[in-house]
């Protein structure tokens, strides 16, 4: 090697390029690439010596010097691999920045040595690696564009040492001010998240640091970040089984939504697919759940009322501006990789359009169809947790408030699952579900001309028109408060009657729901919608109900709610004060008592319940009327009538004690002049046709009697056959 060095120095002095190349070629072909290990070792030492002799001029011969040495990196003999490493170290040390054009082949060779089983080779490669890193750090000639494809390929290595090597290089490149690796982050982000799941704690830690540096950079310069190209990568890793990967991806997603805003909207359905299940995590994954919750809230805030007008905006631009038909108004921003969500769909609602109102608004259109599909899918999945179901319903409510017109296209497909969700185990879920259903039933956007497209209700002959009283006090002052409060007042649209019909159908087919949650559901609806309309429409539907047992149970439920619930205070007052021309549930709710009644166990149970009701605080006003014997003789007689119907039970004792408190029984005789002395407090009582109500009551009772007798007949028939 010494003689080679002298020879080369002499040729350098003479500037004899061809002779230098000839020496290097001989060292390469006849020695370094020889079949004999000793010759190979000699060749490697000779090439290193040439490089030292060439000094700064070695840059001109680097290709010829490096290639044979790198070939020896694959030698079966570990000692030769070590000598190759040593030789390359000397070549690189002399050439310094001149080796950068050959960086990719050096990196490729080193990445293999990083995983070498021989510890000497590995430590030799680490020295060379450090030298190369120093050269890259101090140079401004690094070709990042040329290096990225190799980095992208190598980042998917499963070998721990190769991964460590890759991450160490990413950390170096991140630290060099002149190298802007952030521009190429979409190329390597997926690989980084894969490495984050490595079994080695040290590698995971290094990878966390690298990702942390990138995120710091993103927060510093959000305007230059390619958020859209990385959105789907995050969506995938937010669903990882590995906690660290999932948490890190979720934290990135939170920052992306907050920094990029509406740029993330085209990826909403993918984001929701990843985020929604995390909301039901238990405390073992509390941190993931908390970050997912922020992602969910932030994404929801990106949906704005203007999203409901995007289609019109596109049309008005096309009509008024008459743009060149060759040029699209604007291009939808889609990911270069196969995107889950923002695929360039031909659907009008998916194309990005300008809004007329503001030229500054980011031209991104909400892909509502995709979002609704994900929400619908999660509601159908019975295995998902309660918090996820609540979040889905909050989303649906939010979308009905912000983009009602577009949402009503989905109402017919969502309606059945929303009704089914009323059977959920959680009261909180049912409350949210009722808010969505109430919004559907009252939003002006749900009004279809003549009940047409939505088939919301079939108008029947003689159907009583439902109305909303104009009194301002009855507007939705008691609706849901806070951020999600509905801007619409509880009017009714084409879906209101459909909702009432289907709710009663649900109660009829699922009696357990009626027993356990019926009152709760109706009371909540009375807060969210107009109570009088609910009672009136239900009464109207129950008039046509063929299952008399169910109709009776339902009327009893409605009666109890009307008589006892605080939510119905206003409607109760209207019914009490007969000056108000109430068209509410007058007909079925007037089903009280009549002379020709078959006394059954069910009937006595009802009377028992009525006596209990009379004793509750809501009936204080009625009990006080018992003091005014002169003006209320029929009330007292009716109560005595109830007493005589009851067997001597606790209810009998209760009512008997109450009637003993009525003052001076002689005054109970109804005098001829009693009508004249009836309080003038009720001038409108004559507007209610009590005779008609009584006839209706008798008719309903006779139907019940008929059904009971039919049942009894069917029960006796088998016995008759036995006798015969």
């Amino acid at each position: 090697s010494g003689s080679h060095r002298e020879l080369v120095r002499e040729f350098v002095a003479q500037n004899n390029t061809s002779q230098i190349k000839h020496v290097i070629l001989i060292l390469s072909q006849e020695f370094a690439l020889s079949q004999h290990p000793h010759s190979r070792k000699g060749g490697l030492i000779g090439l290193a010596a040439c490089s030292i002799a060439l000094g700064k001029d070695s840059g001109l011969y680097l290709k010829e010097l490096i290639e044979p040495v790198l070939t020896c990196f694959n030698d079966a003999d570990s000692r030769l691999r070590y000598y190759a490493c040593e030789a390359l170290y000397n070549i690189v040390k002399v050439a310094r920045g001149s080796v950068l054009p050959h960086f990719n082949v050096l990196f490729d060779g080193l990445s293999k040595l990083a995983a070498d089983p021989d510890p000497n080779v590995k430590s030799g490669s680490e020295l060379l690696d450090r030298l190369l890193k120093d050269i890259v750090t101090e140079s401004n000639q690094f070709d990042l564009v040329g290096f990225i494809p190799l980095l992208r390929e190598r980042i998917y290595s499963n070998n721990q040492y190769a991964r460590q090597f890759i991450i160490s290089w990413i950390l170096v490149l991140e630290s060099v001010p002149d190298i802007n690796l952030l521009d190429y982050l979409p190329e390597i982000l997926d690989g980084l998240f894969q490495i984050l799941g490595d079994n080695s704690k040290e590698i995971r830690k290094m990878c966390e640091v690298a990702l942390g540096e990138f995120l710091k950079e993103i927060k510093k310069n959000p305007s230059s970040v390619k958020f859209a190209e990385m959105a789907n990568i995050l969506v995938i890793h937010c669903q990882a089984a590995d906690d660290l990967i999932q948490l890190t991806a979720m934290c990135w997603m939170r920052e992306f939504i907050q920094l990029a805003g509406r740029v993330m909207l085209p990826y909403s359905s993918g984001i929701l697919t990843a985020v929604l299940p995390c909301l039901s995590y238990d405390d073992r994954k509390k941190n993931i759940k908390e970050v997912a919750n922020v992602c969910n809230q932030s994404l929801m805030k990106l949906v704005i009322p203007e999203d409901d007008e995007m289609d019109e905006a596109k049309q008005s631009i096309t009509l008024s501006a008459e743009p060149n038909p060759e040029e699209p108004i604007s291009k939808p921003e889609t990911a270069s990789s196969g995107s889950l969500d923002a695929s360039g769909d031909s659907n009008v609602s998916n194309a990005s359009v300008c809004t007329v109102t503001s030229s500054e608004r980011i031209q991104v259109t909400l892909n509502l169809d995709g979002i609704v599909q994900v929400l619908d899918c999660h509601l159908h999945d019975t295995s998902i947790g309660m918090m996820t179901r609540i979040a889905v319903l909050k989303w649906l409510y939010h979308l009905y408030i912000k983009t009602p017109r577009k949402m009503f296209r989905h109402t017919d497909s969502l309606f059945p699952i929303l009704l089914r969700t009323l059977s959920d185990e959680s009261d909180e879920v049912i409350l949210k579900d009722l808010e969505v259903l109430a919004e559907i039933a009252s939003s002006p956007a749900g009004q279809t001309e003549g009940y047409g497209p939505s088939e919301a209700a079939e108008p029947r002959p003689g159907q009583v028109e439902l109305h909303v009283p104009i009194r301002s006090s009855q507007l939705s002052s008691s609706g849901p408060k806070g951020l999600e409060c509905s801007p619409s007042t509880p009017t009714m649209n084409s879906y209101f009657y459909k909702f009432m019909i289907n709710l009663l159908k649900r109660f009829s087919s699922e009696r357990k729901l009626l027993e356990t949650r019926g009152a709760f559901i109706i009371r909540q609806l009375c807060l969210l919608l107009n109570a009088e309309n609910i009672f009136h429409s239900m009464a109207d539907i129950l008039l046509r109900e063929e299952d008399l047992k169910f109709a009776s149970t339902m009327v009893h439920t409605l009666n109890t709610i009307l008589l006892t619930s605080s939510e119905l205070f206003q409607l109760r007052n209207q019914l009490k004060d007969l000056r108000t021309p109430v068209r509410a549930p007058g007909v079925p709710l007037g089903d009280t008592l009549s002379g020709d009644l078959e006394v059954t166990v069910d009937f006595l149970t009802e009377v028992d319940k009525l006596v209990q009701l009379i004793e509750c605080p809501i009936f204080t006003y009625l009990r006080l009327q018992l003091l005014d014997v002169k003006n209320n003789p029929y009330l007292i007689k009716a109560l005595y009538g109830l007493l005589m119907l009851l067997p001597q039970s606790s209810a009998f004792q209760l009512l008997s004690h109450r009637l003993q408190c009525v003052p001076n029984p002689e005054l109970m005789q109804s005098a001829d002049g009693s009508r004249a002395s009836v309080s003038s407090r009720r001038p409108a009582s004559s507007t209610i046709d009590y005779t008609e109500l009584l006839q209706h009551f008798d008719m309903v009772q006779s139907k019940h009697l008929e059904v009971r007798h039919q049942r009894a007949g069917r029960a006796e028939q088998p016995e008759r056959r036995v006798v015969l």
Side-chain angles (χ1 to χ4, degrees):
S1 66
S3 59
H4 288 128
R5 202 179 311 158
E6 296 305 319
L7 194 61
V8 169
R9 277 191 183 140
E10 204 176 302
F11 291 145
V12 170
Q14 296 164 5
N15 201 11
N16 193 335
T17 313
S18 59
Q19 285 293 1
I20 295 169
K21 280 198 173 175
H22 184 63
V23 171
I24 294 172
L25 189 66
I26 289 169
L27 285 168
S28 301
Q29 301 297 331
E30 294 181 19
F31 290 91
L33 302 175
S34 157
Q35 295 298 311
H36 303 290
H38 286 297
S39 302
R40 291 205 293 277
K41 179 183 171 185
L44 287 167
I45 294 167
L47 286 167
C50 284
S51 178
I52 292 164
L54 283 163
K56 286 179 182 170
D57 292 336
S58 67
L60 300 166
Y61 310 97
L62 277 175
K63 189 174 187 289
E64 291 80 359
L65 288 165
I66 290 171
E67 278 182 0
V69 178
L70 284 172
T71 305
C72 292
F73 273 19
N74 299 318
D75 204 293
D77 187 340
S78 61
R79 283 172 309 169
L80 274 164
R81 293 199 302 276
Y82 178 77
Y83 291 131
C85 210
E86 196 175 49
L88 193 57
Y89 181 86
N90 287 318
I91 294 167
V92 171
K93 193 176 180 183
V94 172
R96 301 296 294 182
S98 305
V99 300
L100 287 178
H102 308 279
F103 179 80
N104 277 16
V105 285
L106 294 172
F107 182 88
D108 184 43
L110 269 176
S111 68
K112 288 170 188 165
L113 287 192
D116 199 286
D118 188 279
N120 292 327
V121 176
K122 205 183 289 170
S123 62
S125 77
E126 281 166 11
L127 279 173
L128 175 56
D129 184 46
R130 233 170 292 153
L131 174 63
L132 204 53
K133 280 171 180 161
D134 289 344
I135 293 168
V136 168
T137 305
E138 68 196 22
S139 163
N140 55 3
Q141 302 292 307
F142 185 73
D143 177 17
L144 188 61
V145 180
F147 173 58
I148 288 296
L150 179 62
L151 180 61
R152 187 178 56 214
E153 178 205 325
R154 286 301 147 93
I155 204 164
Y156 287 108
S157 167
N158 287 325
N159 180 286
Q160 281 194 356
Y161 298 107
R163 281 179 160 186
Q164 201 162 7
F165 173 76
I166 293 281
I167 294 289
S168 70
W169 267 101
I170 288 172
L171 286 164
V172 166
L173 295 173
E174 276 186 296
S175 68
V176 180
D178 290 340
I179 297 175
N180 190 6
L181 195 55
L182 188 61
D183 280 352
Y184 300 95
L185 183 56
E187 309 271 348
I188 59 169
L189 186 64
D190 179 54
L192 280 170
F193 273 109
Q194 305 262 18
I195 293 175
L196 196 57
D198 195 273
N199 295 330
S200 154
K201 248 188 189 170
E202 191 187 346
I203 293 173
R204 285 168 87 110
K205 190 72 213 154
M206 281 173 73
C207 193
E208 262 191 283
V209 172
L211 283 165
E213 288 300 314
F214 275 125
L215 197 55
K216 253 187 248 170
E217 202 65 33
I218 286 169
K219 288 182 192 173
K220 246 188 275 176
N221 311 301
S223 57
S224 61
V225 179
K226 296 166 182 170
F227 290 106
E229 289 179 33
M230 294 185 273
N232 281 326
I233 296 169
L234 294 185
V235 164
I236 290 160
H237 292 290
C238 278
Q239 298 172 75
D242 180 282
D243 284 5
L244 180 61
I245 296 176
Q246 192 180 20
L247 177 61
T248 310
M250 200 65 81
C251 289
W252 276 61
M253 184 67 83
R254 176 189 63 200
E255 298 303 328
F256 271 39
I257 296 169
Q258 288 171 357
L259 293 168
R262 285 179 62 86
V263 168
M264 298 298 281
L265 266 188
Y267 305 92
S268 301
S269 56
I271 296 169
L272 285 173
T273 301
V275 165
L276 287 170
C278 303
L279 302 177
S280 293
Y281 282 174
D282 57 23
D283 283 349
R284 283 171 301 176
K285 292 189 174 187
K286 191 180 173 199
N287 44 8
I288 297 174
K289 177 165 76 172
E290 284 169 358
V291 182
N293 199 35
V294 177
C295 290
N296 184 49
Q297 300 291 336
S298 307
L299 190 65
M300 203 183 276
K301 284 175 189 159
L302 297 179
V303 181
I304 49 172
E306 283 88 333
D307 284 315
D308 219 19
E309 299 148 19
M310 285 295 195
D311 295 351
E312 282 71 10
K314 185 180 172 97
Q315 286 159 13
S316 61
I317 288 171
T318 314
L319 293 171
S320 58
E322 294 179 1
N324 181 342
E326 304 298 313
E327 294 168 18
I329 293 166
S330 65
K331 289 177 185 170
E333 188 166 8
T334 57
S336 55
S337 58
S339 96
L340 299 173
D341 190 357
S343 51
D345 201 293
S346 56
N347 193 333
V348 176
S349 66
N350 285 4
S352 269
V353 296
C354 311
T355 52
V356 182
T357 47
S358 162
S359 57
E360 290 165 30
R361 193 175 291 293
I362 297 167
Q363 295 160 8
V364 175
T365 300
L366 181 72
N367 175 13
L368 199 68
D369 297 3
I371 294 176
V372 171
Q373 196 180 354
V374 171
L375 296 173
D376 185 44
C377 185
H378 278 78
L379 266 190
H380 275 90
D381 183 358
T382 49
S383 65
I384 61 162
M386 178 186 83
M387 295 313 291
T388 300
R389 290 201 297 280
I390 290 170
V392 167
L393 292 163
K394 280 183 176 175
W395 259 100
L396 288 170
Y397 183 76
H398 183 73
L399 292 171
Y400 271 110
I401 297 295
K402 298 288 178 189
T403 56
R405 286 176 51 264
K406 284 187 178 176
M407 274 305 285
F408 267 94
R409 298 172 194 165
H410 299 279
T411 300
D412 286 341
S413 61
L414 285 170
F415 208 64
I417 187 64
L418 288 170
L419 281 164
R420 276 214 297 283
T421 305
L422 290 174
S423 303
D424 198 274
E425 293 165 12
S426 152
D427 282 2
E428 235 181 306
V429 171
I430 294 173
L431 277 173
K432 277 284 154 226
D433 192 30
L434 288 170
E435 279 182 31
V436 178
L437 284 163
E439 189 55 37
I440 288 172
S442 63
S443 169
Q447 186 59 53
T448 52
E449 296 296 318
Y451 294 123
S454 74
E455 297 168 5
E458 301 91 42
R460 291 179 305 281
Q463 181 184 323
V464 186
E465 185 204 352
L466 301 173
H467 81 304
V468 177
I470 298 159
R471 290 188 306 285
S472 59
S473 61
Q474 280 213 253
L475 296 180
S476 181
S477 55
S478 56
K481 299 286 185 287
L483 270 175
E484 299 179 336
C485 188
S486 164
S488 54
T489 53
T491 52
M492 290 180 309
N493 59 29
S494 319
Y495 278 92
F496 180 86
Y497 212 79
K498 180 181 183 179
F499 178 28
M500 292 300 124
I501 290 167
N502 282 285
L503 181 61
L504 287 172
K505 268 188 195 165
R506 191 116 193 105
F507 284 152
S508 175
S509 62
E510 209 178 319
R511 295 296 165 89
K512 191 168 177 251
L513 177 68
L514 177 58
E515 284 165 30
T516 55
R517 292 276 174 61
F520 170 70
I521 288 169
I522 293 166
R523 284 168 56 192
Q524 289 305 321
L525 283 175
C526 288
L527 286 175
L528 294 162
L529 294 164
N530 179 275
E532 186 181 331
N533 286 325
I534 289 169
F535 271 71
H536 189 265
S537 58
M538 283 192 170
D540 186 43
I541 297 159
L542 288 168
L543 275 174
R544 295 158 180 78
E545 176 58 59
E546 289 173 6
D547 182 345
L548 296 177
K549 183 97 170 97
F550 167 67
S552 172
T553 309
M554 203 61 228
V555 167
H556 171 250
T557 306
L558 290 168
N559 263 328
T560 309
I561 295 167
L562 180 64
L563 295 171
T564 60
S565 302
S566 54
E567 293 87 350
L568 274 294
F569 176 75
Q570 209 163 5
L571 186 55
R572 256 199 312 279
N573 279 355
Q574 273 174 258
L575 289 167
K576 246 192 307 184
D577 179 4
L578 294 176
R579 270 175 289 183
T580 317
V582 179
R583 290 182 307 96
V587 179
L589 295 177
D591 296 357
T592 33
L593 292 168
S594 173
D596 284 333
L597 270 185
E598 186 180 31
V599 177
T600 61
V601 175
D602 283 350
F603 171 76
L604 289 174
T605 308
E606 292 299 307
V607 176
D608 195 301
K609 285 178 185 170
L610 181 60
V611 171
Q612 306 292 338
L613 274 177
I614 291 166
E615 291 300 316
C616 72
I618 279 172
F619 278 89
T620 306
Y621 81 96
L622 183 133
R623 298 197 298 272
L624 286 171
Q625 284 180 343
L626 294 176
L627 295 173
D628 185 5
V629 179
K630 191 177 177 189
N631 285 326
N632 294 296
Y634 295 111
L635 171 63
I636 295 164
K637 278 188 174 181
L639 290 174
Y640 269 108
L642 284 176
L643 190 66
M644 294 308 149
L645 285 169
L646 283 167
Q648 293 207 11
S649 58
S650 58
F652 177 88
Q653 300 296 333
L654 207 59
L655 186 54
S656 173
H657 285 145
R658 176 64 63 193
L659 287 169
Q660 281 167 23
C661 301
V662 174
N664 205 339
E666 279 86 27
L667 291 176
M668 284 169 63
Q669 301 297 326
S670 72
D672 290 336
S674 64
R675 268 188 202 163
S677 63
V678 168
S679 168
S680 58
R681 207 168 54 79
R682 299 189 178 182
S685 60
S686 59
T687 60
I688 293 177
D689 189 341
Y690 287 106
T691 313
E692 190 189 334
L693 283 180
L694 198 57
Q695 282 170 356
H696 174 76
F697 180 73
D698 285 340
M699 181 189 77
V700 170
Q701 291 306 319
S702 62
K703 272 189 193 171
H704 276 282
L705 190 62
E706 200 179 309
V707 169
R708 272 200 300 276
H709 287 170
Q710 279 171 359
R711 269 199 218 119
R714 277 200 299 274
E716 284 167 21
Q717 219 134 16
E719 290 170 31
R720 280 200 207 111
R721 255 186 254 129
V722 173
V723 173
L724 288 166

